[in-house]
Amino acid sequence: MNPKDSLLGIDIGTGGCKATLISSEGEFIAAFSEEYPTYYPEPGWAEQNPEDWLKALRKICKRLNAKWKTRMIGICIDGQPHTPVFMNEKAEVLYPAIPWTDRRSAPQVERLNTLLTEEDAKRTFNPLNTAFTLPQILWVKEHRPEVWRDTYKLLIAKDFVRRKLTDEGWFTDPSDALGTYLFDGEAFEWSENICAAAGIEMEKLPDIKPSASVVGEVTRKASKRLGLPEGIPVVNGAHDPSMENLAAGTVKPGDSFVKLATAGVISITTKEPKPDPKGRTVTYCLPTTHERADGWFTKTATLACGSSYRWFRDLFCSEEVEDAKQLRKTAFELMDKLAEEVPPCSEGLIFHPYLIGEGSPYWDPQLKGSFFGATLRHKFSHFCRSILEGAAFSIKDSTSIFEELDLKLREVRLIGGGSNSRLWREILCNVLGLRGLKTSGEDSSFGSAILAGVGVSAFKDIEDGVNRCIKIIDVIEPDPKLHRLYEELFQIYSEIHDATTPISHKLDQLVKRLPKETS
C-alpha cells in the first residue's frame, strides 16, 4: 500500500455525523464532525430527517477536501442502531426516521410481549423495548398504514447513507439486523417466526451481508453531491456500538472498554453471546468478515455520565466558560484543574448522577440526582470532583451485572470525550481497581476507517487492522490505597441510593402533580 493512501470512516450518530480519515498504515490524519437536529413533534416522539444526515456529511467532506489531499482507497459507514428509514422502490424516503430515543411505541412493545413466544424472544439475545426497530415498524403500520403499504425496503440509518453513496442494492449487516428485533441470533438470519407473529413481510427487509464486504462504489451523482471521490469502494459497515469495539481495540474475548461520554458505557467482548436473562444489558455481534459472527459483546450503561459534568458546567460555570475562551481551552479543563485541588473522596461530598433517572443496574426512571454530605467546608472545587467520582461510582455499580453473568473485567480501555481528562481516568481506575488504557481511537468513525481497510484488503483482517491502527497512548495503574478508600465510599454511595429510592419515587409523583411553569 502507498503510505499516502487513506481510509475514511463515517459515523451517522444520534446527534451528528463524524468522519475520521486514517492512512493505510494506520496513522490518524484528521477528523471532522457536524451536528444535525432531532425533532420532537409530540411528547415522547423523536424524529430525524435522513436528508440532514447527507447535508452534514457534505459539509464534512467539503472541510476534508479543503485541508487534506490523499488518495482515498476505501470508505465505510457506521450509524445509530435501530433507526428505520422507510423507502419506496425509487429509494425515496416515505417518513421521517425514528431514532432509538423515540418512546411512542410503548403500546406496541406491550402487545409484542404477548405475541412473541418466549423461545423466539430469547433467540434475539435482547430485552424488547421501544429502542428496537420492530415496535417502531408496528407503530407506523397502525398509525401511518400508507407508509408501510408503500415501503419497498426498510433500511437502517447507515444503510440509507451507504445506498445514497453507491446506488447499489438493499443491504444491511448482522449487527444492525440484530438491532431490529427481527433477527434470530442463533440461526443468524431473519426470524420467520417473529416476522409472522408481528405481521412483517420479510420481502421488505434488506439482504444481510458481512460487515466487511465491499457492496459498491461512490457514484458520479454522489461524488458531485457530497464531494467524495468517484469510484471509491464502499464497505457495508456496522452500527456504531460495534464499531466502538474496533476503535477501542477490544475485539478479543475478555477485552473491555468504558466509554466516558454522554452516557457511561461499559462493554465486554465474548466469544459467544452472553445475554442477561434479566434484560439489563444489550448483546450485539462484532463487525463480521464472514457469514457468521466473528465475536460478540455485552454492554450496559449509566445514563448521565458526561452529561452530568456538562449540566454542572452550563448551570454554575459561566466564569470558567468565559475564561476558557480567553485561554483557548475548554471549560472542562478548568473544572478539572479545580477538582485536582481536592483530595480523593471530596472530603465526604457524594454525587449521585441520576439526573434523568438511572439505567444500569437499576433501570429506574424515577431516581433523582443528589449531592450528599455537603458542609460549610466544601467549596466549588469539591463539587467539581464529586461529579467525576459519582459518575465513576455509577459505572462501578453497573459492573455488578457482569459479575452476575460470570464476566470478569481484567483491565479497561478508555474511550469517549471524557477519557481525554487524565483526572477522570485516574478516578475511574482507582474506583474500579483496574488498569486503564487510553487508546488513540476513541470514536466509532475510527473503527469504521479500520473496517474500510479490512474490506479493501489494506489490512488482513479485523485483528490486524486493530493491531496496526490502535495505539496505547497512556496507562494508569490503580493505587491500592486509594482503591480501598473508594471502596468504603462506594458502600456509602450504595447505602444512600437504597435509603433514598423510596423518597425519589414520592418526589417524582409529587412533581407530576405540581403546576407547570407558565410564560
Side-chain angles (χ1 to χ4, degrees), residues 475-512:
V475 178
I476 293 177
E477 299 287 352
D479 182 322
K481 291 183 179 179
L482 282 182
H483 176 59
R484 288 193 292 271
L485 188 62
Y486 274 128
E487 281 285 281
E488 287 188 52
L489 192 64
F490 176 70
Q491 293 303 316
I492 298 173
Y493 170 96
S494 300
E495 290 173 16
I496 294 170
H497 162 270
D498 295 344
T500 60
T501 292
I503 299 171
S504 286
H505 290 182
K506 288 181 182 179
L507 183 59
D508 188 74
Q509 293 302 315
L510 174 62
V511 169
K512 289 177 180 176

Side-chain angles (χ1 to χ4, degrees), residues 257-259 263-268 276 280-282 298-305 353-354 357-363 390-407 409 428 431-432 490 493-494 497:
F257 73 77
V258 172
K259 182 181 179 183
V265 177
I266 312 98
S267 173
I268 187 164
D276 173 22
R280 298 163 299 175
T281 65
V282 292
T298 294
K299 63 186 291 187
T300 192
T302 176
L303 296 182
C305 182
Y354 305 150
E358 181 55 304
S360 174
Y362 305 112
W363 303 106
F393 284 147
S394 188
I395 289 169
K396 178 179 174 62
D397 221 358
S398 296
T399 63
S400 62
I401 297 174
F402 293 133
E403 293 172 9
E404 291 181 34
L405 296 174
D406 198 28
L407 297 173
L409 297 172
L428 180 63
V431 166
L432 297 178
F490 176 70
Y493 170 96
S494 300
H497 162 270

Side-chain angles (χ1 to χ4, degrees), residues 43-44 61 81 112 128 131 133 196 200 202 259 290 300 333 381 467 469 504:
C61 291
L112 282 166
L128 181 61
T133 316
I200 303 298
M202 292 189 70
K259 182 181 179 183
H290 309 290
T300 192
E333 289 177 284
S381 53
N467 290 339
C469 298
S504 286

